[in-house]
Amino acid sequence: MTDQGIYINSQELYQEVKNLVKKGHRNILITAPIETGKTNFIYENLLYDQDVNSVVMLSNRALLKEQTRQELDIRRRWHKAGEGRAYCYQLIGNVLSEDNDRIKFFNEQFKKDNELTDEELEEIYKQIEQFVKVDIKEVDYLILDEAHYFTSDSVFNKKTAEEFEYLHKECKGVKLYMTATQEAFVEA
């Protein structure tokens, strides 16, 4: 390691993932330190794979989700990448929730934080609902970025376990769990 840090060779990681998938693995944990290229492997390789029809990236924060969505749009528009979508774990949890007070509170906060109109919030919610209830079953690769969210946040948010179980059960495609803190994820 130099004073500039380490960086993942995204082509090697891509080949390793493809080999694991060929062997039948459907749940793959990718661990590496922060800012070493875990997400770039998706952007640089997986989105361009002719055998992959859909990639959905989930993240634990709305800001990270928005950065991911923008990058996916750029790749699709300018680099002829395949379909990629991005969602936030908490919004998926709202679709699954039956607690109307929780949903209303979270949606109002999300609308305020992201400066959305009622119509924009409704459109986002419809897209997430479509993904959660229908599209998730057809996803080729489900990327669970910051996967430690399911274990570290579960101490104070009981919904994370339900979200994790639902995603794990309903997605028939390959699930890539990415984290820089694998201890928190593996030991849970």
Side-chain angles (χ1 to χ4, degrees):
M1 181 165 127
T2 69
D3 57 341
Q4 294 176 331
I6 60 171
Y7 199 76
I8 292 172
N9 180 318
S10 64
Q11 182 62 34
E12 287 179 15
L13 177 57
Y14 170 70
Q15 289 303 320
E16 182 64 26
V17 167
K18 292 291 282 184
N19 289 338
L20 289 169
V21 170
K22 282 181 187 173
K23 293 177 182 177
H25 296 275
R26 308 308 281 169
N27 297 286
I28 301 169
L29 177 62
I30 298 173
T31 64
I34 296 170
E35 299 294 322
T36 56
K38 294 182 297 291
T39 305
N40 279 339
F41 136 77
I42 309 297
Y43 297 148
E44 295 173 2
N45 301 96
L46 198 57
L47 288 175
Y48 297 96
D49 187 325
Q50 298 299 313
D51 296 327
V52 176
N53 293 314
S54 63
V55 174
V56 173
M57 297 180 69
L58 305 179
S59 59
N60 63 332
R61 302 286 177 251
L63 179 60
L64 180 57
K65 186 270 316 176
E66 186 57 27
Q67 292 170 338
T68 302
R69 188 194 59 74
Q70 289 174 0
E71 183 66 29
L72 292 169
D73 286 348
I74 290 168
R75 298 281 176 164
R76 185 172 38 252
R77 212 175 285 139
W78 300 106
H79 303 285
K80 306 293 189 246
E83 180 198 1
R85 292 178 281 164
Y87 299 109
C88 184
Y89 294 130
Q90 293 88 343
L91 289 174
I92 290 170
N94 272 4
V95 170
L96 298 174
S97 179
E98 295 175 3
D99 182 345
N100 290 331
D101 290 336
R102 174 183 180 235
I103 293 168
K104 183 177 179 182
F105 173 79
F106 185 86
N107 285 349
E108 287 301 317
Q109 189 64 46
F110 184 77
K111 183 175 120 179
K112 178 183 166 191
D113 291 348
N114 294 282
E115 300 175 358
L116 300 172
T117 66
D118 288 338
E119 293 78 21
E120 290 170 324
L121 179 63
E122 186 176 331
E123 180 60 31
I124 290 169
Y125 197 81
K126 283 181 184 176
Q127 291 173 4
I128 294 168
E129 194 172 43
Q130 173 70 25
F131 167 70
V132 169
K133 295 183 177 178
V134 179
D135 297 346
I136 190 170
K137 293 169 178 54
E138 303 301 322
V139 170
D140 291 330
Y141 281 84
L142 183 64
I143 314 304
L144 295 101
D145 198 7
E146 307 294 344
H148 56 273
Y149 158 82
F150 291 108
T151 54
S152 61
D153 281 20
S154 66
V155 173
F156 57 87
N157 181 356
K158 294 181 169 87
K159 296 294 181 187
T160 57
E162 292 171 19
E163 293 165 13
F164 180 82
E165 288 174 23
Y166 183 86
L167 294 169
H168 186 76
K169 177 183 165 200
E170 295 299 319
C171 177
K172 305 304 181 211
V174 175
K175 291 171 281 299
L176 300 179
Y177 303 91
M178 300 192 319
T179 183
T181 54
Q182 69 270 13
E183 296 84 12
F185 184 72
V186 173
E187 292 174 7

